[in-house]
Amino acid sequence: MLDLKKYGIEMWEEDKIVSFRHKLLAWYDEHKRDLPWRRTSNPYRIWISEIMLQQTRVDTVIPYYERFLKCFPTVADLAQAPEDKLLKAWEGLGYYSRVRNMQVAAQQIMSDFSGIFPANYEEISSLKGIGPYTAGAIASIAFGLPEPAVDGNVMRVLSRLFEVDLDIGQPSNRKVFQAMMEILIDPARPGDFNQALMDLGSDIEAPVNPRPEDSPVKEFSAAYLHGTMDKYPIKAPKKKPIPVYLQGLIIENEQGQFLLEKNEATGLLSGFWHFPLIEVEEFQTEDQLSLFEVAENQPSLGLSPQESFEQDYDLTVDWQQQPFPKVQHVFSHRKWHIQLAYGQVKDSQHTAAGEVLWLHPEEFDNYPFAKPQQKMWEVFQEVRNK
């Protein structure tokens, strides 16, 4: 057992802990949200919801959750899903490594657990992509095991309850909050206890504009009682994402089809379809730039972006002098700045090696597009339809 006193944390006596559990769960019973994954104890469905809810708002997740379960109602369906169908079902949620890991985990369940979702914390934790938080959530909600589920919301609440002087953004400090939760969790209703703290942390104890006076457990909160709510939780600011500058090329043939290619590289957006993208040096200004202006701003070494594209794809393109607003998209560690350029071709028989398709816009729904691609298409349509 971790010695919490070494971290300046004095836990409550048992009677106070019991009182805290009672107040928190009474509030949860009255105010908990009616969510589809709270109407089931099916571990597969709870797992899907927990992965989707990471970094995504609840109201955004609900339609994705329902659609995903229609596509893949069982572990076996997920394990056997084709990549395009899998990515299409996840399209727009981002963090696509999560759904890939889910498929690997589903395959583990089929091979290592005879298709039955494991029912203890250690075996749940052995599945690909399931860390301590997700394992704790599934174990407590689906199986009633007294396992903490410690996420950012829970750490925020605990930081204020006990005035914890530790950075909640440091992974090494998570073990402290885990140890606190092992003492606090209600053994009779562990799943509800975990979800009650999550709800409290996402609403009343939110990171922005909290309402501590509305908290059902404010009488237990040291930060509330001492007037130090603005100090907790302690969290160092995130590093700014690294900017990446890209030329997005929208090429249309005489049949009204557009050139798209599949990202066959591993890593970011692997397996998704997109307009050709060429990385360039930083754009000189924040004003709208055409393809040719971007080319002029690059070092005069080698081919321009449009020349490189025509050579690589064996296409002759009639580039249109039409400006587009830049597209921006932020990943966790990268910020893409995409400048669009539009061109037309007469002979579209010859293209680059790899998976390349000419598609009519009505066919786009059959292929997985990541958010940057969706934004590019929206901007293109807005300008074209003016």
Side-chain angles (χ1 to χ4, degrees):
M1 176 69 72
L2 191 68
D3 184 1
L4 292 171
K5 290 183 180 180
K6 289 183 178 180
Y7 299 91
I9 300 167
E10 188 76 38
M11 296 300 291
W12 304 321
E13 297 294 331
E14 182 64 22
D15 59 343
K16 188 172 182 178
I17 292 174
V18 171
S19 177
F20 174 79
R21 292 168 180 164
H22 175 76
K23 287 281 182 71
L24 180 66
L25 288 169
W27 168 81
Y28 179 71
D29 288 340
E30 184 177 353
H31 297 283
K32 65 182 177 182
R33 290 170 290 182
D34 181 22
L35 302 170
W37 45 87
R38 288 185 175 171
R39 303 175 205 143
T40 180
S41 59
N42 184 321
Y44 173 68
R45 291 173 175 252
I46 292 167
W47 171 43
I48 300 298
S49 71
E50 289 297 338
I51 299 297
M52 286 187 171
L53 286 165
Q54 296 173 22
Q55 306 290 334
T56 310
R57 293 173 57 86
V58 169
D59 54 355
T60 302
V61 164
I62 291 173
Y64 279 98
Y65 171 82
E66 293 173 340
R67 184 179 71 181
F68 195 89
L69 286 174
K70 283 183 180 178
C71 292
F72 315 112
T74 68
V75 171
D77 294 315
L78 177 57
Q80 300 165 7
E83 182 184 53
D84 277 0
K85 185 178 179 182
L86 184 71
L87 295 177
K88 189 67 182 177
W90 199 265
E91 181 184 275
L93 277 175
Y95 300 93
Y96 294 99
S97 61
R98 292 177 183 168
V99 74
R100 297 180 193 278
N101 288 340
M102 284 172 60
Q103 184 171 52
V104 173
Q107 293 163 352
Q108 285 179 263
I109 294 170
M110 297 305 296
S111 62
D112 299 346
F113 299 99
S114 302
I116 300 171
F117 206 102
N120 66 65
Y121 182 86
E122 290 72 22
E123 290 180 341
I124 295 170
S125 298
S126 73
L127 299 176
K128 179 74 171 177
I130 294 186
Y133 162 76
T134 306
I138 297 169
S140 63
I141 298 169
F143 300 109
L145 301 176
E147 298 288 352
V150 179
D151 68 352
N153 289 317
V154 170
M155 288 192 286
R156 186 181 314 112
V157 173
L158 295 181
S159 290
R160 291 168 176 168
L161 283 172
F162 294 91
E163 293 183 314
V164 180
D165 292 316
L166 296 173
D167 185 345
I168 67 170
Q170 284 290 336
S172 60
N173 290 332
R174 188 191 175 282
K175 65 181 183 294
V176 177
F177 295 95
Q178 179 81 12
M180 295 170 70
M181 279 290 288
E182 288 171 358
I183 296 170
L184 294 174
I185 195 167
D186 191 316
R189 298 178 61 188
D192 287 345
F193 185 87
N194 281 331
Q195 291 179 97
L197 278 181
M198 293 175 207
D199 279 9
L200 186 65
S202 65
D203 182 22
I204 292 173
E205 294 273 3
V208 179
N209 299 322
R211 309 187 313 279
E213 65 282 354
D214 295 336
S215 172
V217 291
K218 63 185 178 184
E219 66 197 79
F220 297 88
S221 173
Y224 178 76
L225 297 173
H226 299 156
T228 58
M229 287 290 292
D230 59 340
K231 180 181 176 182
Y232 298 98
I234 294 170
K235 188 174 184 180
K238 285 184 178 180
K239 293 181 180 179
K240 289 185 177 181
I242 299 170
V244 177
Y245 299 89
L246 299 159
Q247 192 72 58
L249 307 179
I250 299 180
I251 314 299
E252 184 178 13
N253 66 17
E254 289 185 317
Q255 289 74 46
Q257 297 171 309
F258 291 85
L259 179 68
L260 289 116
E261 60 184 5
K262 188 175 185 178
N263 183 359
E264 297 174 321
T266 58
L268 193 62
L269 304 186
S270 173
F272 282 87
W273 291 82
H274 58 82
F275 297 122
L277 293 167
I278 298 175
E279 188 167 350
V280 297
E281 298 293 329
E282 182 175 355
F283 302 140
Q284 188 172 20
T285 72
E286 289 298 314
D287 299 327
Q288 294 177 339
L289 297 173
S290 74
L291 172 70
F292 304 98
E293 290 170 316
V294 171
E296 290 169 2
N297 292 328
Q298 305 308 305
S300 57
L301 297 173
L303 301 174
S304 68
Q306 72 272 27
E307 291 170 335
S308 175
F309 170 81
E310 292 186 32
Q311 183 178 90
D312 290 345
Y313 288 74
D314 193 18
L315 290 170
T316 301
V317 183
D318 180 14
W319 298 103
Q320 307 297 300
Q321 291 280 10
Q322 186 173 23
F324 294 91
K326 281 201 291 294
V327 174
Q328 295 184 346
H329 186 76
V330 180
F331 298 95
S332 54
H333 303 296
R334 298 283 187 274
K335 182 175 183 179
W336 281 12
H337 302 263
I338 307 171
Q339 181 60 52
L340 301 182
Y342 171 58
Q344 299 172 338
V345 298
K346 292 182 179 179
D347 182 4
S348 57
Q349 297 303 309
H350 305 290
T351 52
E355 290 199 59
V356 178
L357 291 175
W358 290 94
L359 297 175
H360 288 287
E362 55 267 26
E363 298 176 282
F364 287 0
D365 285 344
N366 299 325
Y367 296 84
F369 287 170
K371 197 65 177 179
Q373 165 71 19
Q374 295 174 27
K375 290 180 178 179
M376 292 164 67
W377 181 242
E378 288 168 5
V379 167
F380 175 74
Q381 287 183 300
E382 285 174 6
V383 173
R384 192 181 217 191
N385 294 333
K386 282 184 179 179

